[in-house]
């Protein structure tokens, strides 16, 4: 039976890599898919992995009807056996409903990949709707690590290396941005709660107030 599957995890845990692998495996068997993405780090209409892999995709812009797009492709004689959606957290709840309709009415598997919560630990609306509707929700097994070595469970937004907890929910960035730019870092819950990024931890380690030196 076709299903709507949601693969979730923090940044840096291999979601896009798995999406590309699923597409590769199916295309190797002669199947054709429609790949949607939204606000990918590589630019509009791209699905990219931090491993350097990239493929063309359809930009799922705000207000786009994903179900209607797939139906239009089929109506023009195109072939579609499955759908892949990367950065699904950025989709509107109505667009998640359209993905469910693709599964139910067109008998296609839909594989959605996304981050569950934002930098404030709040659910993205798209991810929340996926959790509500998906036939299967899977936490990716490739664990991203906090700077302390513990399993990373939270996404932190940073500005000049300092964690921020206010601002727009969606600001496109990456974990490899220059320190002075808006970027993201994955943290364990303890260090997210303490707002302690790797830069803050490094500064703390260098501070004599944090690590006092015994004097003779």
């Amino acid at each position: 039976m076709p299903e709507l599957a949601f693969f979730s995890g923090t940044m840096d845990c291999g979601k896009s890599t798995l999406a590309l692998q699923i597409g590769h495996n199916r295309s190797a068997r002669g199947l054709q898919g429609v790949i949607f993405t939204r606000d990918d780090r590589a630019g509009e209409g791209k699905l990219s992995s931090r491993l350097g892999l990239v493929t063309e995709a359809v930009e799922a812009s705000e207000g786009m009807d994903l179900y209607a797009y797939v139906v239009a492709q089929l109506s023009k004689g195109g072939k579609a056996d499955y759908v892949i959606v990367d950065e699904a957290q950025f989709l509107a709840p109505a667009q998640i409903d359209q993905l469910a309709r693709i599964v139910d009415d067109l008998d296609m598997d839909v594989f959605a990949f996304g981050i569950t919560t934002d930098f404030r630990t709040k659910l993205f609306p798209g991810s929340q709707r996926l959790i509500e509707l998906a036939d299967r929700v899977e936490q990716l097994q490739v664990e991203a690590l906090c700077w302390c070595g513990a399993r990373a469970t939270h996404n932190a937004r940073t500005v000049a290396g300092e964690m921020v907890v206010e601002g727009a929910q969606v600001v496109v960035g990456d974990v490899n941005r220059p320190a002075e730019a808006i970027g993201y870092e994955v943290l364990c819950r303890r260090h997210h709660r303490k707002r302690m990024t790797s830069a803050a931890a490094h500064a703390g380690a260098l501070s004599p107030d944090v690590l006092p030196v015994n004097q003779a």
Side-chain angles (χ1 to χ4, degrees), residues 147 195-213:
W147 59 264
R195 303 187 189 180
M196 186 173 289
T197 64
S198 58
H202 178 68
L206 296 178
S207 170
D209 294 331
V210 177
L211 290 177
V213 178

Side-chain angles (χ1 to χ4, degrees), residues 118-121 155-168 171 181-185 187 192 195-197:
D118 64 15
F119 69 104
R120 303 165 300 182
T121 72
N155 304 293
R157 180 181 295 169
T158 60
V159 177
E162 295 187 6
M163 180 175 159
V164 296
V165 293
E166 295 182 352
V171 175
I182 294 177
Y184 290 89
E185 182 175 348
L187 300 172
H192 190 280
R195 303 187 189 180
M196 186 173 289
T197 64

Side-chain angles (χ1 to χ4, degrees), residues 10 115-124 128 153-157 163-166 169 184 187-195:
T10 63
I115 298 168
T116 307
T117 57
D118 64 15
F119 69 104
R120 303 165 300 182
T121 72
K122 303 297 183 182
L123 284 169
F124 282 100
Q128 178 178 335
T153 55
H154 292 68
N155 304 293
R157 180 181 295 169
M163 180 175 159
V164 296
V165 293
E166 295 182 352
Q169 186 175 50
Y184 290 89
L187 300 172
C188 64
R189 184 183 63 238
R190 180 162 66 101
H191 287 127
H192 190 280
R193 182 171 54 82
K194 293 182 176 181
R195 303 187 189 180

Side-chain angles (χ1 to χ4, degrees), residues 24-216:
H24 170 76
N25 290 351
R26 279 159 177 72
S27 64
R29 297 294 179 267
L31 302 176
Q32 295 183 25
V34 176
I35 300 176
F36 292 109
T37 190
R38 177 79 174 270
D39 293 336
D40 188 272
R41 68 184 73 82
E44 184 173 327
K46 303 288 184 182
L47 193 170
S48 67
S49 163
R50 290 189 180 88
L51 297 182
L53 305 173
V54 63
T55 191
E56 298 296 320
V58 178
E59 187 74 12
S61 57
E62 184 176 352
M64 180 181 182
D65 189 325
L66 308 185
Y67 174 82
Y69 180 91
V70 175
V71 169
Q73 292 296 105
L74 296 173
S75 298
K76 292 186 293 187
K79 183 182 179 183
D81 300 300
Y82 62 91
V83 172
I84 290 174
V85 186
D86 198 28
E87 307 292 358
Q89 73 273 6
F90 295 144
L91 299 183
Q95 291 175 311
I96 304 302
D97 284 42
Q98 293 158 14
L99 296 179
R101 189 179 178 191
I102 291 172
V103 175
D104 296 340
D105 293 358
L106 304 181
D107 292 325
M108 290 184 196
D109 285 316
V110 175
F111 306 98
F113 301 81
I115 298 168
T116 307
T117 57
D118 64 15
F119 69 104
R120 303 165 300 182
T121 72
K122 303 297 183 182
L123 284 169
F124 282 100
S127 297
Q128 178 178 335
R129 191 60 178 149
L130 273 166
I131 292 170
E132 293 166 348
L133 290 183
D135 300 294
R136 176 163 56 103
V137 177
E138 291 197 13
Q139 189 80 17
L140 293 191
Q141 297 303 307
V142 178
E143 295 182 349
L145 298 179
C146 177
W147 59 264
C148 69
R151 178 172 176 262
T153 55
H154 292 68
N155 304 293
R157 180 181 295 169
T158 60
V159 177
E162 295 187 6
M163 180 175 159
V164 296
V165 293
E166 295 182 352
Q169 186 175 50
V170 178
V171 175
V172 179
D174 202 355
V175 294
N176 296 315
R177 292 292 178 92
E180 66 274 8
I182 294 177
Y184 290 89
E185 182 175 348
V186 290
L187 300 172
C188 64
R189 184 183 63 238
R190 180 162 66 101
H191 287 127
H192 190 280
R193 182 171 54 82
K194 293 182 176 181
R195 303 187 189 180
M196 186 173 289
T197 64
S198 58
H202 178 68
L206 296 178
S207 170
D209 294 331
V210 177
L211 290 177
V213 178
N214 292 328
Q215 295 181 355

